[in-house]
Amino acid sequence: MPTFRNRIEDGQLLLVASVEGVSSRKTYRALLDTGAQRTMISPKVVSEASLQAIGYTHVIPVSGEPIRTPKYRIDLSIPIPQGNATLLSRLSGMELEVAQLPFQPANFDILLGMDFLMHCHFTMYGGSFILSI
């Protein structure tokens, strides 16, 4: 079972994820958010991957006011580093229906919610997080 381990940085669970676009696969910083029900992507990902909306959905942010936002279907991969090299092993081919974030976050482009995490084994321990596929 491929396993990814990373330090928790400033209280955030950050990792690299890649999204298959129209003409290429590009990597982005992703934030694991156990409080989010669904995975969301930034306007930057939508633009750079030339994604086409498949409809609209409503998201409810902390303010409690629903926001109408486009939704997309993406192919998401998580590279699994082993030592100093990244193996070809990765969580790949995971197709997710995602919503667009209504803003551009400063330090990440993908928010990985419970719809992603339910396919993994996830543990936080000793200032690190472990993700097993």
Side-chain angles (χ1 to χ4, degrees), residues 105-116:
N107 65 336
F108 66 91
D109 288 299
I110 301 172
L111 185 142
L112 297 169
M114 291 305 294
D115 59 340
F116 166 79

Side-chain angles (χ1 to χ4, degrees), residues 3-119:
T3 298
F4 174 82
R5 182 183 181 125
N6 205 6
R7 301 281 311 155
I8 298 172
E9 302 174 25
D10 297 325
Q12 296 183 329
L13 311 173
L14 295 166
L15 58 114
V16 173
S18 65
V19 173
E20 181 75 34
V22 170
S23 60
S24 66
R25 180 172 289 280
K26 187 160 179 172
T27 58
Y28 299 94
R29 284 178 54 99
L31 173 72
L32 286 172
D33 186 348
T34 60
Q37 292 180 354
R38 69 183 313 166
T39 296
M40 299 184 75
I41 56 175
S42 71
K44 176 182 169 183
V45 174
V46 171
S47 174
E48 289 184 359
S50 301
L51 299 175
Q52 298 297 313
I54 59 169
Y56 290 87
T57 189
H58 286 87
V59 295
I60 302 174
V62 176
S63 69
E65 290 295 319
I67 298 172
R68 184 174 186 249
T69 185
K71 64 181 178 177
Y72 303 88
R73 189 164 286 118
I74 64 168
D75 180 65
L76 180 77
S77 295
I78 307 292
I80 308 296
Q82 292 284 354
N84 293 331
T86 300
L87 297 179
L88 293 177
S89 176
R90 54 177 68 229
L91 168 64
S92 63
M94 179 182 282
E95 190 173 290
L96 291 172
E97 188 173 288
V98 300
Q100 182 176 321
L101 287 161
F103 60 92
Q104 179 63 52
N107 65 336
F108 66 91
D109 288 299
I110 301 172
L111 185 142
L112 297 169
M114 291 305 294
D115 59 340
F116 166 79
L117 285 171
M118 71 181 194
H119 298 285

